[in-house]
């Protein structure tokens, strides 16, 4: 028992807020646009960081970082995006001119792969073929976990291909991603007796959004993943995992005022649904030969609990700035069946410069 340690339950609201102030700056010259933001923490230390036009999810590193998003349109049908300290998913959303800014806790399930990413660099290209567009992105960075120190944080790379289309008031997208982890399995570490380190995961993503008129809109997204973990000599076979995540939104613009927005989301973060390591374990003992007899046994890694996040968001332009209220409930946080509900709320007021 002394060698076991449970990962603390994620606290997404604290990570999203963190008491930070932001100053954003954008510039454009012809077909090229650049966006940066300067972040100042509670100690008054400043750092430059790209924030996906919203508050950052993690703040484990106090050192200053330069972050940048540059988008350039090469031809009327082709655009390129370069990012520093930015995910490939955000680049894809910027190129497709889509974004999700209303929610703090129930975040986009397609932007997470079981861990908090700290991207170093990313690149994306989008080309339009009439009503259909193809986006290709690549991202590399570090997988941030509670147990890791800054100097030994394991690395990862994600390569993605996404098709998106618009038809009237509806928007659809279908994509596939390949996640390669150097030493982790969906952000988790295992003993060398179980896994030699590293995993490969294929995700298939689908999303759809439709505007119903009078300011009403629906949005849904689904992610399915298959993971192959490298095993050691003590394993009969390598580890195999299946995972999934989904989200469903309903929103209304112009409910009480022209520029207000009301939104609700139900989201399940990425969760392992089945699979594990197949071990060659001793199952009986032959006293005559004094040898142990081995058999195949599955060490399941599917949790018994299931986290579901419910979040309500309301935003309104007020006094030359923006007022936002978020309230949320997380059931069985961290997919721990016995975990207590996580309930919270946040009020923000942002002044425009």
């Amino acid at each position: 028992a002394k060698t076991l340690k449970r990962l603390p339950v994620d606290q997404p609201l604290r990570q999203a807020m963190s008491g930070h102030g932001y100053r954003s700056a954008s510039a454009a010259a012809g077909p090229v646009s650049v966006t940066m933001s300067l972040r100042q923490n509670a100690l008054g230390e400043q750092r430059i960081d790209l924030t996906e036009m919203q508050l950052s999810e993690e703040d484990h590193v106090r050192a200053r970082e330069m972050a940048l998003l540059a988008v350039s349109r090469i031809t009327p049908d082709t655009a390129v995006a370069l990012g520093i300290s930015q995910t490939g998913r955000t680049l894809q959303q910027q190129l497709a001119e889509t974004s999700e800014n209303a929610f703090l806790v129930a975040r986009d399930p397609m932007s997470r792969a079981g861990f908090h990413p700290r991207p170093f660099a990313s690149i994306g290209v989008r080309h339009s073929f009439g009503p259909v567009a193809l986006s290709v992105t690549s991202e590399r960075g570090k997988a941030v976990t509670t147990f890791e120190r800054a100097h030994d944080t394991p690395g990862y790379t994600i390569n993605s291909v996404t098709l998106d289309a618009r038809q009237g008031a509806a928007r659809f997208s279908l994509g596939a991603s390949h996640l390669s982890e150097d030493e982790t399995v969906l952000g988790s570490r295992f003993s060398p007796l179980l896994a030699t380190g590293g995993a490969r995961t294929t995700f298939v993503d689908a999303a759809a959004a439709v505007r119903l008129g009078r300011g009403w809109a629906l949005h849904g997204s689904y992610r399915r993943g298959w993971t192959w973990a490298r095993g050691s000599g003590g394993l009969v076979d390598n580890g195999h995992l299946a995972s999934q995540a989904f989200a469903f939104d309903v929103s209304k613009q112009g409910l009480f005022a022209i520029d207000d927005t009301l939104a609700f989301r139900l989201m399940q973060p990425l969760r392992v649904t089945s699979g594990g390591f197949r071990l060659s374990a001793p199952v009986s003992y032959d006293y005559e030969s004094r040898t142990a007899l081995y058999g195949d046994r599955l060490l399941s890694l599917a949790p018994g609990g299931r986290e579901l996040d419910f979040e309500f968001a309301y935003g309104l332009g007020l006094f030359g700035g923006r007022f936002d209220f978020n309230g949320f409930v997380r059931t069985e946080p961290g997919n721990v069946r016995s975990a207590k509900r996580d309930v919270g709320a946040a009020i923000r007021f942002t002044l425009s410069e």
Side-chain angles (χ1 to χ4, degrees), residues 3-31:
T3 65
L4 299 177
K5 187 176 182 180
R6 174 177 292 180
L7 185 69
V9 176
D10 196 17
Q11 297 178 321
L13 181 61
R14 180 185 61 81
Q15 294 162 353
M17 298 298 289
S18 313
H20 291 165
Y22 289 81
R23 291 184 179 181
S24 298
S26 300

Side-chain angles (χ1 to χ4, degrees), residues 54-98:
Q54 60 194 359
L55 295 177
S56 176
E57 285 192 11
E58 63 86 23
D59 183 39
H60 298 291
V61 177
R62 295 182 180 179
R64 293 183 179 181
E65 294 180 356
M66 177 68 73
L68 174 71
L69 171 64
V71 180
S72 176
R73 185 164 295 279
I74 301 176
T75 70
D77 296 326
T78 305
V80 177
L82 300 175
I84 299 176
S85 296
Q86 187 57 281
T87 65
R89 171 64 176 170
T90 301
L91 263 62
Q92 187 270 326
Q93 289 180 321
Q94 292 289 332
L95 290 170
E97 299 180 351
T98 62

Side-chain angles (χ1 to χ4, degrees), residues 9-254:
V9 176
D10 196 17
Q11 297 178 321
L13 181 61
R14 180 185 61 81
Q15 294 162 353
M17 298 298 289
S18 313
H20 291 165
Y22 289 81
R23 291 184 179 181
S24 298
S26 300
V32 180
S33 63
V34 178
T35 302
M36 299 177 63
S37 64
L38 180 67
R39 178 166 66 179
Q40 177 173 308
N41 63 21
L43 300 178
E45 300 170 340
Q46 292 183 342
R47 52 183 294 195
I48 298 175
D49 190 19
L50 186 65
T51 62
E52 303 180 50
M53 305 304 180
Q54 60 194 359
L55 295 177
S56 176
E57 285 192 11
E58 63 86 23
D59 183 39
H60 298 291
V61 177
R62 295 182 180 179
R64 293 183 179 181
E65 294 180 356
M66 177 68 73
L68 174 71
L69 171 64
V71 180
S72 176
R73 185 164 295 279
I74 301 176
T75 70
D77 296 326
T78 305
V80 177
L82 300 175
I84 299 176
S85 296
Q86 187 57 281
T87 65
R89 171 64 176 170
T90 301
L91 263 62
Q92 187 270 326
Q93 289 180 321
Q94 292 289 332
L95 290 170
E97 299 180 351
T98 62
S99 62
E100 297 181 20
N101 305 323
F103 303 102
L104 289 176
V105 175
R107 304 294 293 276
D108 178 12
M110 298 181 186
S111 64
R112 298 284 293 276
F115 57 87
H116 289 284
R118 182 183 297 147
F120 289 161
S122 56
I123 184 172
V125 180
R126 185 175 190 267
H127 184 77
S128 177
F129 301 91
V132 180
L134 174 67
S135 300
V136 179
T137 61
S138 181
E139 166 195 345
R140 63 180 180 88
K142 296 289 187 178
V144 179
T145 66
T146 304
F147 296 151
E148 312 301 339
R149 296 182 177 89
H151 63 274
D152 63 358
T153 305
Y156 74 90
T157 59
I158 300 179
N159 299 309
S160 303
V161 178
T162 305
L163 285 171
D164 65 89
R166 297 177 183 268
Q167 181 65 38
R171 185 177 73 250
F172 309 92
S173 69
L174 180 66
S177 304
H178 181 74
L179 167 65
S180 177
E181 299 174 79
D182 295 342
E183 303 176 17
T184 54
V185 180
L186 295 180
S188 300
R189 283 186 182 268
F190 292 91
S191 166
L193 295 176
L194 297 178
T196 56
R200 303 291 181 268
T201 302
T202 298
F203 291 112
V204 174
D205 303 322
V210 59
R211 297 189 178 277
L212 304 177
R214 296 187 177 182
W216 287 98
L218 298 177
H219 177 268
S221 58
Y222 179 79
R223 160 166 280 193
R224 183 73 175 179
W226 297 269
T227 302
W228 295 266
R230 292 192 293 268
S232 67
L235 296 178
V236 174
D237 195 0
N238 295 332
H240 298 278
L241 303 174
S243 57
Q244 69 174 2
F246 62 83
F248 177 76
D249 312 355
V250 58
S251 63
K252 174 70 167 71
Q253 290 184 335

